[in-house]
Amino acid sequence: MRGIGFIPRFSKTPPRRSGSIAGAASRPASADAGTDPLAGFGLYSHSRTALRFGLAATRLRAGDRILVPDFICDALVLPLEQLKLEPVYFPIGEDLQPRWPALEALADIAARALVMVHYFGIPQSVDRYREFCSKHGLILIEDNAHGFGGCFGGARLGTIGDIGISSPWKNFLVRNGALLHLADSADTAHEQLPPEPRRMIPTKRQIWSLVEPGWRHQCRHYGHGLQSIEPTAAMPAWRMDRSDATFLRMQDLPACAAQRRALYEVWREWCVRSGLDPAIDRLTGEESPLLFAAYCRSAGHRHAMLEWLWHRRIEAYTWPKLPPAVLDSTGEAKSHWERMVCLPIHQQMSVSGLAGFLESCGPAP
């Protein structure tokens, strides 16, 4: 405990004041002259809003079927439901790649689009997705909500699909921020939207989370009990805050991505020593990973691992909040979630600090 606020030792988001987190880097990022990482994108408050406007700009119509991976956050499905598009789920393996034979078997259902998710900011098999979409005449929807600042073959993630979305607020400490890429046109719809209203009075949950018991309760709620939380709700359409856009334009994205990759390797080595199975073992060298995901031996082992990490003030968590249709199915997605633990990465974390701290923690359960 430090002051009135409980700050996890290693958090997925940095503190608002430098030096208040163990091992934090002391040098802030700054942008290269003449670069604008937001140029050419529609600027929205949240990705679910950006995706809804992106889908509305295509030739998709109510009743059209969209192929969606079953290991997916329910927030992505919400815009489809709002536009009366029908998600058809295809299975994802433990390596977070499609079960391609199963996906091929769905090619005859007259689907109109396919969702490609760069899980945790790591590029998918982009060329294979492109070939599949070209073969079957599908619109490629690129979900890059986890990978802002990453690239694939020199191309920025979030600009590869016919529609692309990214969520900078998940990588940087900004109030909101989502990007929309349209391959065949420039998005201007966001310019007509109001900004998200600022809440002047904190919520009860925000106040409670300032103390250690509240933070621990919140961790358990969003960890062990994530699937019991109410489904993601719709929200009004807002644009990105101009102050947040200005902040994002100041960031050195390549440097941030390199720091995140270095932290990813620290977590990978620790997970291997601790008997966890990395979901994605190797990096390509261009991505900006949001977190490190690994599988535990069982749901019970995951429970014990989360408690062990929280006790050491490491803000581990789980992902995703699965759509109800997936939870009720007999597919693999729920099993993936029950065994997966997500370990925090942020560019202001120190590589040596994280490595040294994990070494001092002793053996994991």
Side-chain angles (χ1 to χ4, degrees), residues 1-7 19-22 313:
M1 181 79 71
R2 182 171 302 189
I4 65 168
F6 176 70
I7 299 175
S20 58
I21 186 171
R313 298 186 180 183

Side-chain angles (χ1 to χ4, degrees), residues 5 24 36 39 73 97 115 157 193 201 217 222 301 305 307-308 358 360:
D36 181 357
C73 180
Q97 295 287 338
V115 176
L157 295 181
L193 300 179
I201 300 176
H217 170 79
Y222 285 94
H301 182 220
M305 180 63 70
E307 293 287 344
W308 185 87
L358 292 175
S360 71

Side-chain angles (χ1 to χ4, degrees), residues 12-13 145-146 167-172 174 177 260 290 319 346:
K12 63 179 178 179
T13 53
H146 295 171
S167 296
W169 72 266
K170 294 182 179 179
N171 303 75
F172 293 92
V174 291
R260 285 178 171 273
L290 179 68
W319 187 90
H346 196 278

